[in-house]
């Protein structure tokens, strides 16, 4: 089946097999949060991107794999509600940036900084700090696919713009600046973007709109 990235709360997950890595996208909760189950093809070990909600459903998606860690893109309440139940059931570690550590429901086991590696079995992801939607926003970059990079952006980048900065010009400037310099300036247009809510996009689809985003201030 062809991956579309179109999921809805209560509906089926969508699955994409990349070289070395399986990506399962599922929407949970009343805010249609996207959660990504990343599974190493060689070892079956898994990492969850954002323990948002519906822990039983997320555990079913993990299945027989070993959940090593929950990596939080940020600490907003709609992205963290399943963390403690998931950790209790699996013993998974909790990883986040230090800027959002105070927002976590339980103390993180590891703080992740800009440029750090996050392991999924034999697969390596790179953390990218994007400050503005929250102080400790993180994106995760997978570069093991020769056809394109794959980028999990949380609520920092969506189709049509960056994440909500509550009309704070300093936060908006920080987030758009990080998104431009750390993502658009460094990665190719083919880069596939998996956001924290809604449909997927690519950097190429969004790049022409950067001047518009800056001019409108959100």
């Amino acid at each position: 089946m062809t991956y579309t990235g179109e999921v809805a709360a209560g509906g089926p997950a969508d699955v994409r097999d990349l070289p070395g890595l399986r990506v399962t996208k599922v929407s949970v909760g009343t805010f249609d949060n996207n959660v990504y189950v990343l599974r190493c093809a060689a070892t079956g070990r898994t990492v969850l991107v954002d323990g948002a909600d519906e822990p039983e459903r997320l555990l079913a998606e993990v299945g027989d794999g070993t959940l090593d860690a929950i990596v939080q893109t940020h600490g907003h309440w709609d992205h963290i509600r399943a963390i403690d139940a998931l950790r209790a059931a699996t013993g998974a570690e909790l990883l986040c940036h230090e800027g959002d550590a105070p927002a976590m429901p339980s103390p993180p086991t590891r703080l992740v900084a800009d440029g750090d590696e996050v392991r999924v079995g034999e697969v390596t992801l790179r953390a990218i700090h994007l400050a503005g939607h929250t102080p400790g926003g993180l994106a995760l970059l997978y570069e093991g696919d020769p056809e394109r990079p794959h980028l999990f952006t949380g609520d920092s980048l969506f189709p049509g713009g960056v994440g909500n900065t509550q009309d704070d010009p300093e936060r908006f400037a920080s987030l758009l600046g990080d998104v431009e310099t750390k993502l658009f300036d460094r990665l190719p247009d083919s880069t596939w973007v998996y956001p924290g809510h809604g449909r997927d996009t690519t950097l190429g689809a969004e790049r022409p709109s950067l001047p518009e985003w800056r001019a409108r201030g959100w």
Side-chain angles (χ1 to χ4, degrees), residues 117-187:
E117 291 186 353
V118 174
R119 301 284 298 179
V120 186
E122 297 179 359
V123 170
T124 300
L125 309 175
R126 181 165 61 87
I128 302 172
H129 180 213
L130 305 171
H133 181 65
T134 64
L138 286 176
L140 294 172
L141 176 65
Y142 176 60
E143 296 183 286
D145 182 353
E147 294 187 1
R148 66 174 80 217
H150 295 262
L151 185 66
F152 302 87
T153 57
D155 286 1
S156 289
L157 177 63
F158 295 100
V162 295
N164 191 350
T165 53
Q166 282 73 46
D167 297 320
D168 184 321
E170 291 186 4
R171 287 173 57 194
F172 172 75
S174 173
L175 181 56
L176 185 60
D178 278 355
V179 164
E180 285 185 314
T181 59
K182 296 181 179 182
L183 304 184
F184 285 95
D185 288 355
R186 297 180 184 178
L187 298 171

Side-chain angles (χ1 to χ4, degrees), residues 34-63:
N34 294 330
V35 176
Y36 301 93
V37 181
L38 309 183
R39 187 185 309 273
C40 173
T43 66
R45 304 188 79 90
T46 59
V47 164
L48 199 71
V49 181
D50 283 347
D53 206 348
E54 300 182 45
E56 296 84 2
R57 186 172 183 204
L58 298 180
L59 289 170
E61 295 295 345
V62 172

Side-chain angles (χ1 to χ4, degrees), residues 7 16 19 30-31 39 55 57 62-63 85 88 95 103 105 132 152-153 159 179 181 192 197 202 205 209 214:
V7 295
R16 185 177 208 171
T30 55
F31 282 76
R39 187 185 309 273
R57 186 172 183 204
V62 172
L95 282 61
F152 302 87
T153 57
V179 164
T181 59
W192 196 275
H197 304 265
T202 65
S209 299
R214 184 170 293 281

Side-chain angles (χ1 to χ4, degrees), residues 160 172 176 180 206-218:
F172 172 75
L176 185 60
E180 285 185 314
E206 306 305 322
R207 190 183 298 275
S209 299
L210 284 169
E212 175 191 345
W213 300 351
R214 184 170 293 281
R216 75 190 185 192
W218 58 272

Side-chain angles (χ1 to χ4, degrees), residues 14-78:
D14 203 358
V15 179
R16 185 177 208 171
D17 284 313
L18 307 176
L21 185 70
R22 168 169 284 192
V23 177
T24 299
K25 179 180 181 179
V26 58
S27 176
V28 298
T30 55
F31 282 76
D32 292 336
N33 289 77
N34 294 330
V35 176
Y36 301 93
V37 181
L38 309 183
R39 187 185 309 273
C40 173
T43 66
R45 304 188 79 90
T46 59
V47 164
L48 199 71
V49 181
D50 283 347
D53 206 348
E54 300 182 45
E56 296 84 2
R57 186 172 183 204
L58 298 180
L59 289 170
E61 295 295 345
V62 172
D64 295 332
T66 300
L67 183 60
D68 289 327
I70 303 161
V71 185
Q72 287 298 127
T73 62
H74 64 295
H76 278 165
W77 69 274
D78 58 316

